[in-house]
Coordinates of all heavy atoms in Angstrom, one line a residue:
S18 N 19.2 10.9 -6.5 CA 19.7 9.6 -6.0 C 21.1 9.2 -6.7 O 22.0 8.7 -6.1 CB 18.7 8.4 -6.3 OG 17.6 8.6 -5.6
D19 N 21.2 9.6 -8.0 CA 22.4 9.4 -8.8 C 23.6 10.3 -8.1 O 24.8 9.9 -8.0 CB 22.2 9.7 -10.2 CG 21.3 8.7 -10.9 OD1 21.2 7.5 -10.4 OD2 20.6 9.0 -11.9
I20 N 23.2 11.5 -7.8 CA 24.2 12.4 -7.3 C 24.6 12.0 -6.0 O 25.8 12.1 -5.6 CB 23.5 13.9 -7.2 CG1 23.3 14.4 -8.5 CG2 24.5 14.7 -6.4 CD1 24.6 14.8 -9.3
V21 N 23.8 11.4 -5.1 CA 24.1 10.9 -3.7 C 25.2 9.8 -3.9 O 26.1 9.8 -3.0 CB 22.8 10.4 -3.1 CG1 23.2 9.6 -1.8 CG2 21.8 11.5 -2.7
K22 N 25.2 9.0 -4.9 CA 26.2 8.0 -5.0 C 27.6 8.6 -5.3 O 28.6 8.0 -5.0 CB 25.8 7.1 -6.3 CG 24.5 6.2 -6.0 CD 24.2 5.5 -7.3 CE 22.9 4.9 -7.0 NZ 22.4 4.2 -8.3
L23 N 27.6 9.8 -5.8 CA 28.9 10.5 -6.1 C 29.4 11.4 -5.0 O 30.6 11.6 -5.0 CB 28.7 11.4 -7.3 CG 28.2 10.7 -8.6 CD1 28.0 11.8 -9.7 CD2 29.2 9.7 -9.1
I24 N 28.6 11.6 -4.0 CA 29.1 12.4 -2.8 C 29.8 11.5 -1.9 O 29.4 10.5 -1.5 CB 27.8 13.1 -2.2 CG1 27.1 14.0 -3.2 CG2 28.3 13.8 -0.9 CD1 25.9 14.6 -2.7
V25 N 31.0 12.1 -1.4 CA 31.9 11.4 -0.6 C 31.6 11.7 0.9 O 31.5 10.9 1.8 CB 33.3 11.7 -0.9 CG1 34.3 11.0 0.0 CG2 33.6 11.3 -2.3
K26 N 31.4 13.1 1.2 CA 31.2 13.5 2.6 C 29.8 13.0 3.1 O 28.8 13.3 2.4 CB 31.3 15.0 2.6 CG 32.6 15.6 2.4 CD 32.7 17.1 2.4 CE 34.0 17.6 2.2 NZ 34.0 19.0 2.1
M27 N 29.8 12.3 4.2 CA 28.6 11.8 4.7 C 27.6 12.8 5.2 O 26.4 12.7 4.8 CB 28.9 11.0 6.0 CG 27.7 10.2 6.5 SD 26.9 9.2 5.3 CE 27.7 7.7 5.5
E28 N 28.0 14.0 5.7 CA 27.1 15.1 6.1 C 26.4 15.7 4.8 O 25.2 16.0 4.9 CB 27.7 16.1 6.9 CG 28.9 16.9 6.4 CD 30.2 16.1 6.7 OE1 30.2 15.1 7.4 OE2 31.2 16.5 6.1
E29 N 27.1 15.8 3.7 CA 26.4 16.3 2.5 C 25.5 15.3 1.9 O 24.5 15.7 1.5 CB 27.6 16.6 1.5 CG 28.4 17.9 1.8 CD 29.4 18.2 0.7 OE1 29.7 17.3 -0.2 OE2 30.0 19.2 0.7
K30 N 25.9 14.0 2.0 CA 25.1 13.0 1.5 C 23.8 13.0 2.4 O 22.6 12.9 1.8 CB 25.8 11.6 1.7 CG 25.1 10.5 1.0 CD 25.9 9.2 1.0 CE 27.0 9.2 0.1 NZ 27.6 8.0 -0.4
Q31 N 23.8 13.0 3.6 CA 22.6 13.1 4.5 C 21.7 14.3 4.2 O 20.5 14.1 4.2 CB 23.0 12.9 6.0 CG 23.5 11.6 6.4 CD 24.0 11.6 7.8 OE1 24.4 12.5 8.4 NE2 24.2 10.4 8.3
A32 N 22.4 15.4 4.0 CA 21.7 16.7 3.8 C 20.8 16.6 2.5 O 19.7 17.0 2.5 CB 22.6 17.9 3.8
I33 N 21.5 16.2 1.5 CA 20.8 16.0 0.2 C 19.7 15.0 0.2 O 18.6 15.2 -0.4 CB 21.7 15.9 -1.0 CG1 21.1 16.3 -2.3 CG2 22.2 14.4 -1.1 CD1 22.0 16.6 -3.4
Q34 N 19.9 13.9 0.9 CA 18.9 12.8 1.0 C 17.7 13.4 1.8 O 16.6 13.1 1.6 CB 19.5 11.6 1.7 CG 20.3 10.7 0.8 CD 21.0 9.6 1.4 OE1 21.3 9.6 2.7 NE2 21.2 8.5 0.7
E35 N 18.0 14.1 2.9 CA 16.9 14.7 3.6 C 16.1 15.7 2.8 O 14.8 15.8 2.9 CB 17.4 15.4 5.0 CG 16.4 16.0 5.8 CD 15.3 15.0 6.3 OE1 15.6 13.8 6.5 OE2 14.2 15.4 6.5
A36 N 16.8 16.5 2.1 CA 16.0 17.5 1.2 C 15.2 16.8 0.1 O 14.1 17.1 -0.2 CB 17.1 18.4 0.5
Q37 N 15.7 15.6 -0.4 CA 15.1 14.8 -1.4 C 13.8 14.2 -0.7 O 12.7 14.3 -1.3 CB 16.0 13.7 -2.0 CG 15.2 12.8 -2.9 CD 16.1 11.6 -3.3 OE1 16.9 11.1 -2.6 NE2 15.8 11.1 -4.5
R38 N 14.0 13.7 0.5 CA 12.8 13.0 1.2 C 11.8 14.1 1.5 O 10.5 13.8 1.3 CB 13.3 12.5 2.4 CG 12.5 11.4 3.0 CD 13.1 10.6 4.2 NE 14.2 11.1 4.8 CZ 15.5 10.7 4.5 NH1 15.7 9.7 3.6 NH2 16.6 11.2 5.2
K39 N 12.2 15.2 1.9 CA 11.2 16.3 2.2 C 10.4 16.7 1.0 O 9.2 17.0 1.0 CB 11.9 17.5 2.9 CG 10.9 18.5 3.4 CD 11.7 19.5 4.3 CE 10.7 20.5 4.9 NZ 11.3 21.5 5.8
L40 N 11.1 16.9 -0.1 CA 10.5 17.3 -1.4 C 9.6 16.2 -2.0 O 8.4 16.6 -2.4 CB 11.5 17.6 -2.4 CG 11.1 18.1 -3.8 CD1 10.3 19.4 -3.7 CD2 12.3 18.3 -4.8
L41 N 9.9 15.0 -1.9 CA 9.1 13.9 -2.3 C 7.9 13.8 -1.4 O 6.8 13.5 -2.0 CB 9.9 12.6 -2.4 CG 11.0 12.5 -3.4 CD1 11.7 11.1 -3.3 CD2 10.3 12.5 -4.8
N42 N 8.0 14.0 -0.1 CA 6.8 13.9 0.8 C 5.8 15.1 0.4 O 4.6 14.8 0.4 CB 7.2 14.0 2.3 CG 7.9 12.7 2.7 OD1 7.7 11.7 2.1 ND2 8.6 12.8 3.7
T43 N 6.4 16.2 0.2 CA 5.5 17.3 -0.2 C 4.8 17.2 -1.5 O 3.6 17.4 -1.6 CB 6.4 18.7 -0.3 OG1 7.1 18.9 1.0 CG2 5.5 19.9 -0.5
I44 N 5.5 16.6 -2.5 CA 4.9 16.3 -3.8 C 3.8 15.3 -3.7 O 2.8 15.4 -4.3 CB 6.0 15.9 -4.8 CG1 6.9 17.1 -5.2 CG2 5.4 15.3 -6.0 CD1 8.1 16.8 -6.0
E45 N 4.1 14.2 -2.8 CA 3.1 13.1 -2.6 C 1.8 13.7 -1.9 O 0.8 13.4 -2.4 CB 3.6 12.0 -1.7 CG 2.8 10.9 -1.7 CD 2.6 10.2 -3.0 OE1 3.5 10.2 -3.9 OE2 1.5 9.7 -3.2
R46 N 2.0 14.6 -1.0 CA 0.9 15.2 -0.3 C 0.1 16.1 -1.3 O -1.1 16.2 -1.3 CB 1.3 16.0 0.9 CG 0.3 16.8 1.7 CD -0.7 15.9 2.3 NE -1.7 16.6 3.0 CZ -3.1 16.4 2.9 NH1 -3.4 15.5 2.2 NH2 -3.9 17.3 3.5
L47 N 0.8 16.8 -2.2 CA 0.3 17.7 -3.2 C -0.6 16.8 -4.1 O -1.7 17.3 -4.5 CB 1.3 18.4 -3.9 CG 0.9 19.4 -5.0 CD1 0.1 20.6 -4.4 CD2 2.2 20.1 -5.6
K48 N -0.2 15.7 -4.5 CA -0.9 14.8 -5.4 C -2.2 14.4 -4.8 O -3.2 14.3 -5.4 CB -0.1 13.5 -5.7 CG 1.0 13.8 -6.8 CD 1.7 12.5 -7.0 CE 2.9 12.7 -8.0 NZ 3.7 11.4 -8.2
E49 N -2.2 14.1 -3.4 CA -3.4 13.7 -2.7 C -4.4 14.8 -2.7 O -5.6 14.5 -2.9 CB -3.0 13.3 -1.3 CG -2.2 12.0 -1.2 CD -1.7 11.7 0.3 OE1 -2.1 12.4 1.1 OE2 -0.9 10.8 0.4
V50 N -4.0 16.0 -2.4 CA -4.9 17.1 -2.2 C -5.5 17.4 -3.6 O -6.7 17.7 -3.8 CB -4.2 18.4 -1.6 CG1 -5.0 19.6 -1.7 CG2 -3.8 18.0 -0.2
N51 N -4.7 17.4 -4.6 CA -5.1 17.7 -6.0 C -6.1 16.6 -6.5 O -7.1 16.9 -7.2 CB -4.0 17.8 -7.0 CG -3.3 19.1 -6.9 OD1 -3.9 20.1 -6.5 ND2 -2.0 19.2 -7.3
G52 N -5.9 15.3 -6.1 CA -6.8 14.3 -6.4 C -8.2 14.5 -5.7 O -9.3 14.3 -6.3
Q53 N -8.1 14.9 -4.5 CA -9.3 15.3 -3.7 C -10.0 16.4 -4.4 O -11.3 16.4 -4.5 CB -9.0 15.6 -2.2 CG -10.2 16.0 -1.4 CD -9.7 16.3 0.0 OE1 -8.5 16.5 0.3 NE2 -10.7 16.4 0.9
N54 N -9.4 17.4 -4.8 CA -9.9 18.6 -5.4 C -10.6 18.2 -6.8 O -11.7 18.7 -7.1 CB -8.9 19.7 -5.7 CG -8.5 20.4 -4.4 OD1 -9.2 20.3 -3.4 ND2 -7.4 21.1 -4.4
Q55 N -10.0 17.3 -7.5 CA -10.5 16.9 -8.8 C -11.8 16.1 -8.5 O -12.8 16.3 -9.2 CB -9.6 16.0 -9.5 CG -10.0 15.4 -10.9 CD -9.0 14.6 -11.5 OE1 -7.9 14.4 -11.1 NE2 -9.3 14.1 -12.7
Q56 N -11.9 15.3 -7.5 CA -13.1 14.6 -7.1 C -14.2 15.5 -6.8 O -15.4 15.3 -7.2 CB -12.9 13.5 -6.0 CG -12.1 12.3 -6.4 CD -11.8 11.4 -5.3 OE1 -11.9 11.8 -4.1 NE2 -11.3 10.1 -5.6
L57 N -13.9 16.5 -6.0 CA -14.9 17.5 -5.6 C -15.5 18.3 -6.8 O -16.7 18.4 -6.9 CB -14.3 18.5 -4.6 CG -14.1 18.0 -3.1 CD1 -13.3 19.2 -2.4 CD2 -15.4 17.7 -2.5
I58 N -14.5 18.6 -7.7 CA -15.1 19.3 -8.9 C -15.9 18.4 -9.8 O -17.0 18.8 -10.3 CB -13.9 19.8 -9.7 CG1 -13.2 21.0 -8.9 CG2 -14.3 20.3 -11.1 CD1 -11.9 21.6 -9.5
E59 N -15.5 17.1 -9.9 CA -16.3 16.2 -10.7 C -17.7 16.0 -10.1 O -18.7 15.9 -10.7 CB -15.5 14.8 -10.8 CG -14.4 14.9 -11.8 CD -13.6 13.6 -11.8 OE1 -13.9 12.7 -11.1 OE2 -12.7 13.5 -12.5
Q60 N -17.8 15.9 -8.7 CA -19.0 15.8 -8.0 C -19.9 17.0 -8.3 O -21.1 16.9 -8.5 CB -18.8 15.5 -6.6 CG -18.2 14.2 -6.2 CD -17.9 14.1 -4.7 OE1 -18.0 14.9 -3.9 NE2 -17.5 12.9 -4.4
S61 N -19.3 18.2 -8.2 CA -20.0 19.4 -8.4 C -20.5 19.4 -9.8 O -21.7 19.9 -10.1 CB -19.1 20.6 -8.3 OG -19.7 21.8 -8.4
L62 N -19.8 19.0 -10.8 CA -20.2 19.0 -12.2 C -21.4 18.0 -12.4 O -22.4 18.2 -13.1 CB -19.1 18.7 -13.2 CG -18.1 19.9 -13.3 CD1 -16.9 19.4 -14.2 CD2 -18.7 21.1 -13.9
T63 N -21.3 16.9 -11.8 CA -22.3 15.9 -11.9 C -23.6 16.4 -11.3 O -24.8 16.2 -11.8 CB -21.9 14.6 -11.0 OG1 -20.8 14.1 -11.7 CG2 -23.0 13.5 -11.2
Y64 N -23.5 17.1 -10.1 CA -24.7 17.7 -9.5 C -25.3 18.7 -10.4 O -26.6 18.8 -10.6 CB -24.3 18.3 -8.1 CG -25.5 18.9 -7.4 CD1 -26.6 18.3 -6.9 CD2 -25.6 20.4 -7.4 CE1 -27.6 18.9 -6.3 CE2 -26.6 21.0 -6.8 CZ -27.6 20.3 -6.3 OH -28.7 20.9 -5.6

Protein backbone atom coordinates (compact mmCIF):
# COMPACT_ATOMS: atom_id res chain seq x y z
CA SER A 1 0.00 0.00 0.00
CA ASP A 2 2.91 2.35 0.71
CA ILE A 3 4.47 1.51 -2.66
CA VAL A 4 1.17 2.22 -4.43
CA LYS A 5 1.31 5.79 -3.14
CA LEU A 6 4.67 6.27 -4.86
CA ILE A 7 3.65 4.88 -8.26
CA VAL A 8 2.74 7.49 -10.83
CA LYS A 9 1.50 5.37 -13.75
CA MET A 10 -2.14 4.38 -13.31
CA GLU A 11 -1.80 0.99 -15.06
CA GLU A 12 1.12 0.02 -12.79
CA LYS A 13 -0.82 1.19 -9.74
CA GLN A 14 -3.86 -0.88 -10.75
CA ALA A 15 -1.73 -3.94 -11.54
CA ILE A 16 0.00 -3.93 -8.16
CA GLN A 17 -3.29 -3.27 -6.34
CA GLU A 18 -4.90 -6.22 -8.14
CA ALA A 19 -1.95 -8.47 -7.25
CA GLN A 20 -2.19 -7.32 -3.63
CA ARG A 21 -5.95 -7.98 -3.55
CA LYS A 22 -5.51 -11.46 -5.05
CA LEU A 23 -2.74 -12.34 -2.59
CA LEU A 24 -4.76 -11.10 0.40
CA ASN A 25 -7.84 -13.05 -0.72
CA THR A 26 -5.77 -16.23 -1.08
CA ILE A 27 -4.21 -15.73 2.36
CA GLU A 28 -7.65 -15.12 3.91
CA ARG A 29 -9.03 -18.32 2.35
CA LEU A 30 -5.92 -20.17 3.56
CA LYS A 31 -6.57 -18.96 7.12
CA GLU A 32 -10.17 -20.23 6.91
CA VAL A 33 -9.16 -23.68 5.67
CA ASN A 34 -6.38 -23.97 8.26
CA GLY A 35 -8.83 -23.00 11.00
CA GLN A 36 -11.21 -25.69 9.80
CA ASN A 37 -8.39 -28.24 9.75
CA GLN A 38 -7.39 -27.28 13.29
CA GLN A 39 -10.97 -27.82 14.48
CA LEU A 40 -11.10 -31.23 12.78
CA ILE A 41 -7.86 -32.29 14.45
CA GLU A 42 -9.04 -31.07 17.85
CA GLN A 43 -12.30 -33.00 17.44
CA SER A 44 -10.35 -36.09 16.46
CA LEU A 45 -8.11 -35.77 19.53
CA THR A 46 -11.14 -35.28 21.77
CA TYR A 47 -12.71 -38.42 20.34
